[in-house]
Amino acid sequence: MALLELPSWAALAPMLLLLATALVLFVVDSIRPGETGRGLLAGIATVGSLASLGVAVWFIVAGVGQPGLEGLGVVELFDGQLVVDQMALYFTIVVAVVTALVAIASYDYMDGHAYQAEYYSLVMLAATGMATMAAANSLVTIFIALELASLPSYALVSILKDNRGSVEGGLKYFLIGALSSAIFVYGISLVYGVTGSLQLTAIADTIAAGDADPYGGLLGLGIVMLIGGFAFKTASVPFHFWAPDAYEGAPAPISAFLSSASKAAGFVIAFRVFTEAFPVGATADLIGLDWTLAFVILAIVTMTVGNFAAATQNNVKRMLAYSSVGHAGYALIGLAGLGADGGELVMGAAMMHLLVYGFMNTGAFLFVALAEHWGVGRTFEDYSGLGRRAPVACFALAIFMFSLAGIPPLGGFWSKYFLFSAAIDAGLLLVAAALVINSALSLYYYSRLVKAVWFDEPLADRDALAQPIGLYTAIVIAAVVTVLLLPAFGPVSETAVEAAAIVVG
Amino acid sequence: MMIEMLIAVALLGAAVVFVAPNRYAGKLAFLISLVPATLSLWMYTAFDGSGNALLGGDLAYETQLEWLTFGDYAISWFVGLDGISLPLVVLTTILTTLAIVSSWTPIDERESQFYGLVLFIEANLIGVFAALDFFVWFIFWEAVLIPMYLLIGVWGGPRRKYAAIKFFVYTNVASLVMFGAFIALVFGLGDAVTSFALPEVTAAMLDGGPEGLFGVGGTTLASIVFVAMFLGFAVKVPVVPFHTWLPDAHVEAPTPASVLLAGVLLKMGTYALLRFNFTMFPHEVVEPFLVPIGVVAVVSVIYGAMLALAQTDLKRIVAYSSVSSMGYVILGLIALTQFGVGGATFQMVSHGLISGLMFMAVGVIYNATHTRMVTDMSGMADRMPVAVGILIAGSFGYMGLPLMSGFAAEYFIFFGAFGAAFDYAPLFTALAMFGIVIVAGYLLFAMQRAVFGPYSLETDYEVTRAPLHDIAPMFVLLGLIIALGVAPDLIFEMITDAVDPILENGGEL
């Protein structure tokens, strides 16, 4: 394949394309500052993220990242600071997909807002950071990538400068983000102090060789702090408090972006760090504790807290924010099962869930963006009767909600089922039970939204609702893919489990 | 690829109709639905399958494609038809077309969405009857729920929200119980199965059965799974005491949704009972449950009929009578004789036609009078002679008048059940036969009050004859009912061909 002749850094193409798009947007805007048409900006962002998606899909199909494939195998760059394997490509795909959907939807949503070019380039920069997170293979690159993803996100949340909620959400996000960055970096320094290396495989080697022996407790502390850092990024308990406020205040496409892409990127860090740097057996011997236990507890607590909080919300955006906390809990199962045989199945299932989630959750938030575009208000009551006016969008919403709730036959059911069966296989009965109970619970608040738009009578007579083309396109694509993922589960599950198996080793 | 074609036409048609303008949606949906109807009739004439799909029979229109492998289990796109599923597929396509025509009058808002959902249901119903891999089957099984939930909840009567949610919660919980049970069974079978293909699971079940799971022994596991699956399907059928969602859903649902609900959706439950509970499990596991299930069946027949007797709402009468009719199906299934199981399958088709006809007739009368209360009506025969004539004909079908399909079905079932080998079989059959008397009672009672006598309905509407497109689908149904009544072998032969392996396999009782 032609890929053989490319230099090895070309494996970073999906990430570099996102970065280049951000820079092109800056250039385009600087030619005629503030006057460039929004269509052009949104178009560039969309094309850029689609190009990145295309290249990532091509790589994964062509076999980049598969060990044992001459010349195309796992590509390590910069002395192993970055690694392009199946997992990196898989998560780059998730990020690129969400970015593309957000860019398309923003065409309408950002209509009339100031700072359009800045908005799109910040989105692309944050996406670059997330894609780098997927490929980062040392604690330093992880931290840099994390910050590259976070800093634009803070700005994006508060980009509606005249809106108090937006500024407040951005501020909260920034403060908690800064705090968790500090914790994360402290954790890195402890791990470095104990093992003397930052590269993930080198850390594992040191632990396995017994060179870190007297400092097990210190290493344990470092690990806990690392967990804190990515718990923030994935909005897992106890670092989830920022999520509802930030998601509620942020422009709705940004809420979609953060809750889908940023969360997936947070998980890829966790997946990589805890499989590559801290193999369960050796680490447990050293620190005297099996870290999967922490994730068992974290998973159960996160899904329960998220679901119960979501059930009591009256504001649709906050409900979705808490539900995304709940879904972080489901994805955490991927880490909880790593200690057992078949750990790669559990992690593969979690990766599949994150992909499905990327579509259904983005779609749900984009529906909220559509509702904000219409100006119909934010509570469940405000949404009532929308089905009469906008059947296609509301039908898509029903798909997203039932899929999020895990109602068969939609994508969400299958990824949850695979999580469930893999968890049972790995002996995590308690977690599997929590997954089922929480899923059943979640039907209550998801179906409430479906009931509101389809069954309830509208509170007031509404004028004909606009049909913004960008938002509609994005929502319909998300809905169609949520359904079409079903026949595509074969290749997706194979890729995910294969990618997980490579990392788990 | 015939089955795929049926499903694809219905699915794509659903999408097209969903975005079509309201004005043309009904006609467009009708034209689209003619394609699967014609194709399925052609498939009926060209049918060349033999034996039972789960027991190594030769399938017609079979496709098996690898789909995905997760862990130790493969899932594949596996569809095909045998003598049991083909009649039900034909029933589905024909009833959908007729239901679409019968909705032209009553559905007057958001038509394109309505017809889109109806076609979407059709696609999934075909899938349920054709799928032979558990996962594929389950996808179709569950995909029926959401559109039906919307049909009831959006276009239904005054208490539609309550009815829709009740329908959804009941059937979804039941499905999940059944799903969990089946997965436990497959895990319990251990290395004997490597896929979710139903024939493979069946073979493993009959060849030794499960090893056990989480400390539960193999035999116990099989029994637990049998019960859990029975409960899961029983809600869908529905049998007493899980029947309460049915009258609510039926009464609130718009006429065409009722037609599909009674005509085909309920058959999903009995079809699954036949396929799973009474085909997969070896005789030793099934036997202890025959008498309890027999009690449930007889109670459903008698109690359902008694409830129908107590109603004054014409639609409720028809709805409750479904509980009673489906009780016969269960009775036929547990007989485990050729006539019993074959008759049960025959009754599924027959009841689909007759109940569809009844709901359409009630719907037409309601459209004209805006009431369904038999106490309000009187002398309808004067104003709507054709519609009322069809209603009476349908009632006769229900009562089991000879030369109509209901008679053939009930005769087969009683004949089969009377000679069944489980304890007290003749007693159960005799009790169930008494149900016929009650059926005749409530139907004649309702007819006498609503149809005959002087016209006295007080209403602001002018009650006139129904338009041709309301009447035509009912004539088609009536024709089919009589055809099956006169010549049951149109389908009974292929049914028994597929039923016989079940009996040989279970050791004829």
Side-chain angles (χ1 to χ4, degrees):
Chain A
M1 231 166 262
L3 220 60
L4 281 167
E5 292 138 34
L6 295 175
S8 60
W9 59 263
L12 289 179
M15 183 198 308
L16 295 176
L17 276 169
L18 292 172
L19 181 66
T21 313
L23 299 179
V24 167
L25 283 164
F26 275 131
V27 173
V28 168
D29 186 51
S30 61
I31 294 171
R32 294 170 67 188
E35 288 171 43
T36 315
R38 63 194 173 104
L40 180 65
L41 295 171
I44 293 174
T46 311
V47 169
S49 34
L50 286 180
S52 164
L53 171 68
V55 174
V57 170
W58 171 40
F59 279 2
I60 223 168
V61 172
V64 176
Q66 276 177 16
L69 210 52
E70 194 75 26
L72 295 166
V74 179
V75 183
E76 290 204 8
L77 294 146
F78 312 117
D79 285 339
Q81 298 291 308
L82 290 175
V83 58
V84 179
D85 56 4
Q86 298 257 297
M87 172 108 102
L89 291 171
Y90 183 90
F91 277 95
T92 307
I93 290 173
V94 177
V95 169
V97 159
V98 176
T99 312
L101 288 176
V102 167
I104 297 172
S106 300
Y107 169 71
D108 297 306
Y109 190 87
M110 292 307 285
D111 188 12
H113 284 288
Y115 311 117
Q116 298 229 1
E118 288 81 351
Y119 172 86
Y120 287 112
S121 22
L122 285 172
V123 168
M124 298 316 291
L125 278 176
T128 312
M130 293 166 196
T132 318
M133 281 158 88
N137 195 33
S138 108
L139 291 174
V140 178
T141 37
I142 285 174
F143 184 68
I144 293 173
L146 195 69
E147 290 302 298
L148 179 56
S150 297
L151 289 173
S153 305
Y154 303 145
L156 282 170
V157 169
S158 43
I159 202 158
L160 306 174
K161 287 210 303 185
D162 303 328
N163 180 323
R164 278 190 60 178
S166 177
V167 176
E168 185 191 324
L171 193 64
K172 258 188 195 162
Y173 189 24
F174 174 65
L175 286 176
I176 299 180
L179 177 71
S180 74
S181 281
I183 294 175
F184 192 72
V185 119
Y186 194 39
I188 291 178
S189 67
L190 286 178
V191 172
Y192 180 66
V194 174
T195 61
S197 44
L198 286 165
Q199 209 178 323
L200 301 184
T201 38
I203 294 173
D205 291 343
T206 315
I207 293 173
D211 292 347
D213 259 349
Y215 307 110
L218 216 51
L219 183 67
L221 196 60
I223 290 177
V224 169
M225 288 184 158
L226 290 182
I227 294 178
F230 92 83
F232 159 74
K233 206 65 208 161
T234 57
S236 305
V237 173
F239 290 93
H240 67 289
F241 291 105
W242 60 273
D245 293 309
Y247 292 175
E248 193 197 351
I254 295 305
S255 314
F257 187 54
L258 290 182
S259 64
S260 307
S262 170
K263 178 164 292 185
F267 272 108
V268 69
I269 288 188
F271 288 167
R272 205 179 282 283
V273 168
F274 284 95
T275 49
E276 300 258 310
F278 308 113
V280 183
T283 316
D285 289 343
L286 182 60
I287 62 179
L289 198 67
D290 185 351
W291 53 255
T292 53
L293 181 68
F295 287 104
V296 170
I297 297 169
L298 211 56
I300 295 175
V301 172
T302 302
M303 60 178 109
T304 312
V305 167
N307 275 305
F308 273 96
T312 57
Q313 301 301 318
N314 263 323
N315 179 315
V316 175
K317 228 171 161 184
R318 283 185 85 83
M319 180 276 277
L320 285 176
Y322 276 112
S323 97
S324 106
V325 174
H327 279 272
Y330 303 145
L332 279 169
I333 295 176
L335 286 161
L338 278 180
D341 281 345
E344 75 278 359
L345 272 189
V346 190
M347 205 162 98
M351 285 166 64
M352 279 155 76
H353 188 65
L354 285 169
L355 179 72
V356 178
Y357 184 71
F359 286 101
M360 60 191 182
N361 183 60
T362 308
F365 270 111
L366 291 184
F367 185 89
V368 173
L370 188 61
E372 286 181 7
H373 186 83
W374 289 331
V376 294
R378 296 189 150 191
T379 62
F380 284 94
E381 285 77 31
D382 293 326
Y383 278 56
S384 54
L386 283 179
R388 282 168 197 279
R389 293 279 178 205
V392 175
C394 288
F395 194 67
L397 179 75
I399 291 177
F400 300 140
M401 288 299 122
F402 284 129
S403 183
L404 282 166
I407 293 292
L410 296 163
F413 172 76
W414 297 105
S415 56
K416 278 185 191 175
Y417 166 70
F418 286 132
L419 260 177
F420 172 78
S421 73
I424 293 272
D425 216 29
L428 300 169
L429 298 186
L430 199 60
V431 180
L435 169 73
V436 171
I437 293 167
N438 273 296
S439 269
L441 232 173
S442 70
L443 181 59
Y444 162 71
Y445 56 83
Y446 289 127
S447 65
R448 221 177 129 197
L449 193 52
V450 177
K451 176 173 161 286
V453 294
W454 279 104
F455 296 175
D456 289 347
E457 300 299 322
L459 287 181
D461 267 347
R462 291 201 184 90
D463 299 331
L465 296 168
Q467 300 198 335
I469 184 158
L471 275 164
Y472 256 81
T473 312
I475 288 174
V476 169
I477 291 175
V480 168
V481 179
T482 305
V483 175
L484 284 192
L485 268 178
L486 197 54
F489 250 122
V492 169
S493 77
E494 243 168 61
T495 314
V497 173
E498 216 171 74
I502 290 170
V503 178
V504 173
Chain B
M1 298 305 280
M2 291 301 290
I3 298 168
E4 288 80 359
M5 193 113 91
L6 291 186
I7 297 173
V9 168
L11 271 187
L12 292 177
V16 170
V17 172
F18 197 80
V19 293
N22 282 333
R23 238 165 358 123
Y24 310 116
K27 309 283 187 296
L28 185 63
F30 168 66
L31 287 178
I32 291 171
S33 76
L34 280 180
V35 178
T38 323
L39 277 179
S40 68
L41 281 174
W42 178 82
M43 285 162 76
Y44 165 76
T45 53
F47 177 71
D48 63 347
S50 68
N52 188 297
L54 267 54
L55 299 167
D58 285 327
L59 295 171
Y61 317 108
E62 178 185 1
T63 319
Q64 192 168 11
L65 291 172
E66 243 178 69
W67 183 16
L68 65 97
T69 308
F70 188 79
D72 301 331
Y73 299 99
I75 300 173
S76 55
W77 169 262
F78 187 12
V79 292
L81 296 177
D82 67 359
I84 293 173
S85 39
L86 180 73
L88 291 166
V89 170
V90 178
L91 172 75
T92 305
T93 56
I94 292 180
L95 261 188
T96 309
T97 304
L98 299 179
I100 286 172
V101 176
S102 74
S103 14
W104 287 351
T105 307
I107 302 298
D108 52 6
E109 55 161 359
R110 298 201 252 173
E111 287 95 336
S112 51
Q113 298 155 42
F114 180 89
Y115 293 108
L117 290 174
V118 169
L119 284 176
F120 184 63
I121 290 187
E122 181 187 20
N124 292 307
L125 287 171
I126 296 170
V128 166
F129 295 127
L132 289 169
D133 181 279
F134 177 73
F135 271 78
V136 177
W137 176 84
F138 189 67
I139 287 170
F140 287 123
W141 172 271
E142 285 291 302
V144 171
L145 273 188
I146 294 170
M148 191 43 99
Y149 171 67
L150 291 175
L151 282 184
I152 299 173
V154 176
W155 288 271
R159 285 168 69 243
R160 58 178 186 271
K161 283 185 219 169
Y162 170 78
I165 290 169
K166 190 169 174 182
F167 163 75
F168 192 84
V169 171
Y170 261 69
T171 49
N172 194 42
V173 169
S175 297
L176 291 180
V177 169
M178 177 273 296
F179 180 80
F182 189 85
I183 296 300
L185 181 68
V186 171
F187 284 171
L189 281 167
D191 297 334
V193 286
T194 53
S195 80
F196 286 99
L198 295 177
E200 192 186 335
V201 177
T202 311
M205 277 302 288
L206 298 173
D207 183 32
E211 296 163 5
L213 190 70
F214 300 137
V216 179
T219 329
T220 324
L221 179 71
S223 298
I224 293 173
V225 168
F226 183 89
V227 172
M229 290 176 74
F230 180 81
L231 291 178
F233 298 135
V235 172
K236 200 87 161 193
V237 174
V239 298
V240 176
F242 306 111
H243 65 289
T244 60
W245 64 267
L246 180 91
D248 283 315
H250 265 314
V251 171
E252 300 307 321
T255 304
S258 296
V259 170
L260 285 179
L261 193 60
V264 194
L265 255 71
L266 305 185
K267 278 65 196 179
M268 288 164 62
T270 46
Y271 172 78
L273 276 176
L274 171 56
R275 276 275 191 250
F276 289 83
N277 285 54
F278 293 104
T279 303
M280 266 183 196
F281 289 84
H283 182 209
E284 307 85 72
V285 177
V286 181
E287 205 194 3
F289 297 107
L290 289 178
V291 171
I293 295 175
V295 173
V296 168
V298 171
V299 169
S300 292
V301 169
I302 304 289
Y303 185 66
M306 303 277 264
L307 285 172
L309 191 60
Q311 304 303 318
T312 52
D313 181 331
L314 212 46
K315 207 171 177 186
R316 242 170 214 281
I317 294 176
V318 183
Y320 275 113
S321 70
S322 289
V323 177
S324 181
S325 295
M326 297 314 277
Y328 290 135
V329 178
I330 311 259
L331 184 70
L333 288 179
I334 57 166
L336 287 175
T337 55
Q338 190 189 43
F339 273 107
V341 180
T345 313
F346 193 86
Q347 164 82 338
M348 290 183 211
V349 178
S350 159
H351 178 256
L353 299 171
I354 299 177
S355 65
L357 177 70
M358 291 295 274
F359 276 114
M360 281 184 198
V362 172
V364 167
I365 291 173
Y366 176 74
N367 290 337
T369 61
H370 294 250
T371 179
R372 291 190 303 248
M373 294 296 154
V374 281
T375 44
D376 295 348
M377 292 182 219
S378 175
M380 294 305 302
D382 289 346
R383 296 296 177 99
M384 311 182 74
V386 182
V388 163
I390 289 172
L391 183 71
I392 294 172
S395 305
F396 284 155
Y398 242 121
M399 290 176 219
L401 209 69
L403 295 187
M404 295 176 97
S405 64
F407 171 76
E410 283 165 19
Y411 173 76
F412 291 150
I413 289 174
F414 294 141
F415 185 75
F418 203 78
F422 65 91
D423 299 341
Y424 317 116
L427 175 66
F428 283 167
T429 315
L431 283 173
M433 284 169 91
F434 185 66
I436 295 187
V437 180
I438 313 179
V439 173
Y442 65 72
L443 285 172
L444 289 175
F445 192 38
M447 293 303 124
Q448 190 258 323
R449 280 180 295 177
V451 172
F452 303 115
Y455 180 78
S456 69
L457 184 66
E458 284 175 24
T459 158
D460 301 337
Y461 306 94
E462 197 192 347
V463 177
T464 53
R465 289 179 169 216
L468 178 67
H469 62 75
D470 278 357
I471 299 293
M474 298 197 282
F475 271 112
V476 176
L477 281 177
L478 201 54
L480 290 171
I481 291 167
I482 292 170
L484 284 184
V486 174
D489 260 359
L490 284 175
I491 59 170
F492 195 64
E493 207 171 339
M494 62 169 72
I495 290 174
T496 47
D497 183 41
V499 162
D500 288 343
I502 303 177
L503 307 174
E504 285 162 22
N505 178 64
E508 187 147 2
L509 285 163

